[in-house]
Amino acid sequence: MDMQRIMLRGKLHQARVTHAELNYEGSCAIDQDLLDAVNIREYEQIDIYNIENGERFHTYAISGERGSKMISLNGAAARKAAVGDRIIICAYAPMSEQQIESYDPNLVYLDAGNNIVRTSKNIPLQLA
């Protein structure tokens, strides 16, 4: 039996919401440069975690204007965060035990202007 685990594939950490468009077709528009950096494809399912209010929800990514630094929550998702909120955007993928052995996620850390400040392949060990 080839068991699969759902593993973190990519993360945009502390992205800032730049737009909340209730009457736009639902999704999350993300600057194409940021999508490329984290290797998230347009229409891929993403999870969003709002640091400010604890909201956690699923939606899908759509391409935002390249170089715009846009993070736009659209449709129902616009009710889950306000412009300026810090969010974490994650994508996951099923992987076999064999794939996991040699896999590292794409971690992209952003500043308050949604500029990439660093990238990583692992999260540091949390100490007590």
Side-chain angles (χ1 to χ4, degrees):
M1 181 169 126
D2 186 25
M3 185 174 81
Q4 299 267 305
R5 295 182 189 263
I6 305 300
M7 302 297 292
L8 177 66
R9 200 178 53 67
K11 174 174 84 162
L12 289 170
H13 191 74
Q14 295 213 14
R16 294 280 178 156
V17 176
T18 61
H19 299 76
E21 303 290 342
L22 184 60
N23 294 314
Y24 192 84
E25 188 171 346
S27 59
C28 180
I30 302 170
D31 177 330
Q32 186 63 52
D33 288 338
L34 297 176
L35 289 176
D36 292 347
V38 77
N39 193 24
I40 292 176
R41 300 284 301 263
E42 189 166 33
Y43 307 117
E44 184 173 353
Q45 179 179 312
I46 55 175
D47 286 349
I48 298 179
Y49 312 121
N50 188 326
I51 296 166
E52 311 301 337
N53 65 19
E55 287 281 357
R56 301 168 73 91
F57 57 97
H58 304 292
T59 189
Y60 59 93
I62 61 172
S63 180
E65 180 181 0
R66 190 176 290 282
S68 67
K69 310 300 182 195
M70 168 188 286
I71 303 288
S72 181
L73 297 179
N74 302 321
R79 299 256 191 223
K80 301 289 190 178
V83 171
D85 281 2
R86 294 173 300 147
I87 61 173
I88 300 167
I89 300 170
C90 294
Y92 299 89
M95 295 183 190
S96 68
E97 293 292 331
Q98 184 178 9
Q99 289 171 307
I100 292 168
E101 289 177 17
S102 62
Y103 182 77
D104 294 309
N106 294 311
L107 309 174
V108 177
Y109 297 85
L110 305 175
D111 66 12
N114 289 337
N115 298 295
I116 297 172
V117 294
R118 71 181 175 95
T119 62
S120 182
K121 291 290 188 181
N122 59 56
I123 297 171
L125 176 67
Q126 182 174 349
L127 302 174

